Amino acid sequence: MHIDAPFELILFGGLGDLSQRKLLPAMYMLFCDGRLPETGKIVAITRRELVREDFLQQVRQALRQHLEARYFDEGSWNQFVEYLICHTIDLGDPGTFVQLEQALNKQCQNRVFYLATGSDLYTDICAGLHGSGLIHEHAKVVLEKPIGHDFESATQINNAVAEYFAESQIYRIDHYLGKETVQNLMVLRFANSLFEHQWNHKYIDHIQITISESLGVEKRAGFYDHVGAMRDMFQNHLLQLLCITAMEPPASLESDAIRDEKVKVLRSLKAITGEAINDKVVRGQYDAGVADGKPVPRYRDEPDVAVKSQTETFVAVKVEIENWRWAGVPFYLRTGKRLAERACEIVVHFKEIPHSIFPLQHKNTMANKLVFRLQPDEGIRLMLCEKKIGPGMSVRPMNLSLNPADHKKTRVPEAYERLLFDVLVSNATLFLRDDELMEAWRWVDPILTFWNDLEQRPEPYTSGSWGPAAATLLLAKDGRLWDENS
Ligand code: BG6
C-alpha cells in the first residue's frame, strides 16, 4: 500500500530519544519501500534553535546508528532530506506556533501532530496548536504512552486534548500492537477454527506473557525513575497483549469492533486491591550483575537515579479475567529491565492430557504449548509431542514453526513503520480508544497507590537473572513454572 496525497508529519520531541531511535528511521524505511508520496513534510520540533545542516547531520547519524547498515544508502538519504524540516517552538511563546503555520501548507489535507514528549506537555502543545489555527478538521494527533501517571492525571489530559480534537482524530499509540506477531496472533485466532475452539478454560491451563529486556535504564533515568515498569510497560504494552490474547472474536476488522472487544477484557479484569496485592503482584529493582557478558551497576547507582529510589524495574502479576471464557485460567504477566535476555513471548499452556499411556516424562515437556514470539526472531511455534525414533515408545517434544521471516524472505517491518503508516492513512484499528486507556489506569491505580504508601525498596534481583525470587514463587504457589526460555 502506498500513500498518494501529500502529508505533513509534525514531530514534537523531534530530536528526542524516540524520534531518533524509532520514528525517523521508520519514516525513512517507509520512504525506501516507496510507500510515501512525492510531496510531504516531516517537521521536527525542537526546543533549541538548530541550523539546517546540524539538524540533518543529527538525523543522518540517528539513521546510521539505528538502522541496519544494509538499509542506509546515500542515494535514498539525499532524496529523504527533501522531506525534512526543523522548527523551534517555545511553548511559552505563541509566536513560535504562528511561524510553524507559515512553514506548513494550508491546503494539505493530511496533517499529523505526533506528540513524542512527556504527556505533561500535551495540553500546552494542543492549546498552542489551536491558538495558531493549526488544527483543522483533517488534522490528527498521535499521543505516546504513558498518558498521565494515574487515572486522575490521564483523565485530565484526555479531557484537555478532547477540547481540541475529536476522538476520531486522536491516535493513542502502543507500539507493541504494531509488531507483526501480534497481528499474526489475531489472524491465527480468527482465521483458523482449529485454535479458536480450544481458546477457553476447558482446554487452556494458563497463559504467560513476558516482555524481558537485557538493557538497563540507559540514558532515560530522568524519565524512568518517575515512571517505573508498571507505568512504562505493564499498564500499556502488557495489558494490550493480554487484551489481544483474551478478547472475544470481533464482528469485523473495523477499529471500533476490535476496540469494543479489548475494552470488555479490561472491564473483566479481577481487581487486585489491599492484601491481594502482596499475594498476586511482585515488584523488583535490579542490583549489580552481568548483562550481555559485561558487569553492570545496580539501578540505584545508575546516573540520574535517586540513591534511595523505590522505582520498580520489574513487575510480575497474576491476572484473572472474570468472564465465561477465562474463568479459572490465570494469566501470568511479567516485564523487567536487566533480565537474562531480551525477549517477548506469549505462551499458551494447554491442559495436560487426562491420562498418559506413555512412559513418564518431565511434566513440563509433556504439556502442549503455543508460543507467540514477538521478538527477537518473531514467529509462532506449536510445541507438541512426537515419538522418539527407535525402539520403545519414548515421547519427546517437537516444534511446528511458522516464522514469517523464514517463510517469505522479506524484511519484517518495525512496529513504528506499520503504525505511522496507519496514522497517515487514518486507520485507527491498532490504536487505543479513550475508554481502553481509562480502564487500564483504573485497574492499575490501586496497585500504584499501595506501593506508594509502602515506602519500601522493591525486592532486589541480580542483573542478568530472571527477576526476584518472589516472581518464581508467584507461580510455584500454583504449582507452575515460568517458561524462562521456551
Ligand atoms: C517502550 C518503553 O515503550 O518500550 C521502554 O518506554 C522499552 O522502556 C521499550 O525499552 C521496549 O520496546 P521494544 O519494542 O524494544 O521491545
Side-chain angles (χ1 to χ4, degrees), residues 76-131:
S76 305
W77 163 250
N78 287 333
Q79 292 171 23
F80 185 65
V81 293
E82 298 297 320
Y83 292 104
L84 297 173
I85 298 177
C86 168
H87 181 81
T88 310
I89 281 200
D90 172 355
L91 288 183
D93 176 1
T96 54
F97 281 93
V98 175
Q99 284 152 13
L100 171 62
E101 205 238 331
Q102 286 150 13
L104 298 176
N105 173 4
K106 284 196 180 60
Q107 314 300 326
C108 182
Q109 301 280 300
N110 198 1
R111 179 174 289 176
V112 178
F113 300 105
Y114 196 121
L115 311 195
T117 64
S119 63
D120 50 333
L121 300 181
Y122 291 176
T123 309
D124 289 348
I125 295 174
C126 291
L129 293 172
H130 172 75

Side-chain angles (χ1 to χ4, degrees), residues 11 14 26 81 104 127 144 175-176 244 275-276 278 303 308 414 434:
L11 275 180
V81 293
L104 298 176
E144 261 297 334
H175 78 277
Y176 268 69
I244 299 282
E275 271 313 300
N278 284 331
K308 292 198 172 165
E414 281 282 324
D434 56 348

